[in-house]
Amino acid sequence: MGKKINASAINGTAGVPDQNKIPDLYAAHVSPGKVDLYRKYGLVLVPGKRGGCILRSIDGKSYYNCHCNGGVFNLGHRNARVIGALTSALRTYDIGNHHLISGPRARLAAMLADTMPRGLTQTVFGVGGGEAVDLGIKLARGVTGRHEIISARGGYHGHTGFALATGDKKYRERFGPMAPGFRQVPFNSTEALKRAVSAKTAAVIFETVPATAGILVPDRGFFTEAQRICRAAGALLIIDEIQTGFGRTGKLWGFEHFNVTPDIVTLGKGMSGGIYPISATVFHERFAPFFKKDPFIHISTFGGSEVGCQTAIEVLSISREQKFLDHVLRMGGLFKRGLQEMGEQSPGLGLQVRGLGLMMGMKFKDETTALFLVKVLFDNGIYVVYSGNDPSVIQFLPPLIITEQEGDRVLRRIEKSFRQMAGTK
Ligand SMILES: Cc1ncc(COP(=O)(O)O)c(C=O)c1O
């Protein structure tokens, strides 16, 4: 660890890089901690070729990507339509200049407005999800003149400034004092929310289905009531759709399941099509004067790059199609039934399946079972991760373009893994 390795030193015969040495180079110059961890648990995966649902490691093993980096690969790896949109954008555009007026930004923002509840017509673009959340919180504080922000215990909104302050202690305690005014409440508890929201509250921010907390699907009435509580106190409701957006739950926006109109919505991950990073903070037009007064109060040089906007326009066109959303719901149903049946066949695992559409979680009887299964699944060619704030839950987010045939293959591999785990073979 820490020992410098020259990039050319990993070259093997005839100057061709020896792929097996990449983890060493990565450990020396990027992240020794990750390499140590993955080596320790036999989970070393250096992605090589990839396409659709499949991620191939450089040593030739194939994995079904059933995490998709929290929705980045909703449309699969290297989706041809998305690549086509980027390639074609590159003939005309580049990153663009955030000082100037931009056609691609204007078109994408108008398209987003068309898909959002009435009034949510305004968009500011960013590069990553944390940035979109930071801006949502800045805006809420700016327009309300209040500073208190309430978020969910176990929730996750990113590792940037204000986003980090909404999250759990373990992510922030080593970075000194955070911005004041942040507090957490249990998710899905209207009673706790009622007690926490006051005349000092600028905003309440929740993920629609908190992923890091363990894929928690709230009660049907939760968001309606949360919105009522916020409105009564003059606080704003920010909904983080960074994982649940772009069709992941079987609706274009996850909050559409819950009869709620957020004041601010944050988007990221899947918006990129897995090809070009971009994020967005969409907000109600009644807050537009805030930016009108000072259009340079928030700046992101690369936010909403023009080639990124052109790419995201294609992503949104694909994701909003009813046929596409129906497919997500159908596949979600197939996986849910399949996994439940397998759970019943291996009762020792204590499996509970939960989720919305293809935003799914497999909760096992304890953390050890889930962690062990991540490895068994990996060895059987299924790539998944567990929830950081509840490791007894494996996040199961296959690409939304997965076919029934591929779904069946995935289920067979999971079945095999469950049997191996249960020791029944
Ligand atoms: C719900 C949610 N919000 C925000 C973020 C932060 O996004 P980014 O990593 O792009 O900053 C994430 C990332 O995992 C997330 O899952």
Side-chain angles (χ1 to χ4, degrees):
M1 172 174 144
K3 193 166 159 269
K4 203 171 147 198
I5 302 180
N6 193 304
S8 62
I10 71 161
N11 284 353
T13 48
V16 179
D18 180 347
Q19 308 274 4
N20 295 320
K21 292 188 180 152
I22 288 177
D24 292 330
L25 191 63
Y26 194 85
H29 294 288
V30 184
S31 176
K34 271 189 202 166
V35 174
D36 281 355
L37 186 78
Y38 294 143
R39 278 193 169 139
K40 182 170 165 196
Y41 293 106
L43 294 168
V44 175
L45 165 52
V46 184
K49 285 200 171 153
R50 57 208 85 171
C53 301
I54 299 283
L55 197 51
R56 251 179 262 284
S57 70
I58 53 171
D59 54 7
K61 291 189 198 119
S62 282
Y63 299 84
Y64 280 100
N65 189 346
C66 291
H67 177 244
C68 289
N69 206 352
V72 170
F73 301 109
N74 278 346
L75 301 179
H77 288 280
R78 297 179 51 77
N79 181 290
R81 275 179 65 181
V82 179
I83 289 182
L86 177 63
T87 314
S88 139
L90 284 167
R91 285 193 206 106
T92 308
Y93 300 105
D94 51 21
I95 278 176
N97 184 330
H98 72 286
H99 289 277
L100 303 177
I101 292 163
S102 157
R105 279 189 199 178
R107 281 195 293 277
L108 176 56
M111 210 171 153
L112 285 168
D114 192 41
T115 65
M116 287 279 164
R118 198 136 59 101
L120 274 90
T121 59
Q122 309 292 301
T123 294
V124 172
F125 293 104
V127 180
E131 185 186 346
V133 169
D134 278 5
L135 176 61
I137 292 172
K138 275 170 83 173
L139 180 61
R141 285 180 159 194
V143 297
T144 61
R146 306 169 175 187
H147 72 274
E148 206 170 85
I149 303 291
I150 295 165
S151 57
R153 204 166 289 154
Y156 178 73
H157 301 284
H159 277 175
T160 51
F162 286 149
L164 182 64
T166 66
D168 276 22
K169 206 168 149 198
K170 69 176 175 186
Y171 300 114
R172 52 182 155 83
E173 63 189 352
R174 283 186 286 160
F175 302 108
M178 292 281 119
F182 286 78
R183 56 195 292 204
Q184 294 181 307
V185 294
F187 184 66
N188 199 26
S189 167
T190 47
E191 283 313 308
L193 194 61
K194 239 184 259 167
R195 281 195 299 275
V197 173
S198 71
K200 291 189 197 140
T201 311
V204 170
I205 177 165
F206 289 132
E207 293 158 84
T208 312
V209 176
T212 309
I215 314 285
L216 303 177
V217 181
D219 296 337
R220 284 285 146 185
F222 173 66
F223 279 114
T224 318
E225 185 57 13
Q227 178 175 3
R228 202 196 54 71
I229 294 167
C230 287
R231 292 253 159 99
L236 308 187
L237 179 61
I238 306 176
I239 296 203
D240 181 339
E241 283 276 324
I242 288 166
Q243 290 220 21
T244 43
F246 292 91
R248 173 53 61 188
T249 67
K251 299 225 186 237
L252 181 60
W253 311 123
F255 63 75
E256 291 173 32
H257 290 276
F258 296 101
N259 186 28
V260 59
T261 302
D263 298 294
I264 300 174
V265 179
T266 56
L267 306 174
K269 289 202 187 267
M271 190 172 182
S272 68
I275 294 290
Y276 202 99
I278 184 165
S279 65
T281 308
V282 182
F283 54 94
H284 197 278
E285 57 203 13
R286 66 183 188 280
F287 312 133
F290 184 77
F291 288 106
K292 191 166 178 203
K293 211 157 84 193
D294 184 353
F296 294 98
I297 191 88
H298 178 86
I299 278 175
S300 173
T301 299
F302 296 142
S305 76
E306 295 200 328
V307 286
C309 284
Q310 290 296 108
T311 308
I313 285 172
E314 187 65 16
V315 171
L316 187 52
S317 310
I318 299 170
S319 317
R320 70 186 296 193
E321 280 169 25
Q322 196 53 50
K323 237 171 87 180
F324 175 84
L325 297 169
D326 289 345
H327 174 77
V328 175
L329 285 176
R330 198 172 68 254
M331 291 307 296
L334 287 179
F335 275 118
K336 197 167 190 179
R337 280 192 296 282
L339 293 172
Q340 271 164 347
E341 272 168 32
M342 287 171 203
E344 281 157 23
Q345 282 158 20
S346 300
L349 302 177
L351 174 66
Q352 288 165 33
V353 184
R354 57 198 188 199
L356 266 185
L358 284 172
M359 176 100 194
M360 303 181 73
M362 296 188 253
K363 180 162 175 69
F364 293 94
K365 65 173 181 199
D366 53 29
E367 292 179 11
T368 317
T369 308
L371 299 184
F372 208 80
L373 252 169
V374 168
K375 164 72 174 146
V376 179
L377 287 162
F378 184 84
D379 291 341
N380 284 319
I382 301 288
Y383 176 70
V384 283
V385 304
Y386 59 84
S387 285
N389 290 339
D390 182 356
S392 68
V393 177
I394 290 181
Q395 300 179 352
F396 186 69
L397 280 73
L400 307 184
I401 46 123
I402 193 165
T403 63
E404 273 187 45
Q405 208 177 28
E406 288 168 321
D408 206 49
R409 274 185 229 131
V410 167
L411 282 172
R412 297 288 73 81
R413 289 182 190 202
I414 296 176
E415 187 176 28
K416 181 175 168 195
S417 308
F418 281 7
R419 285 222 197 102
Q420 285 171 335
M421 209 32 218
T424 51
K425 279 254 152 54

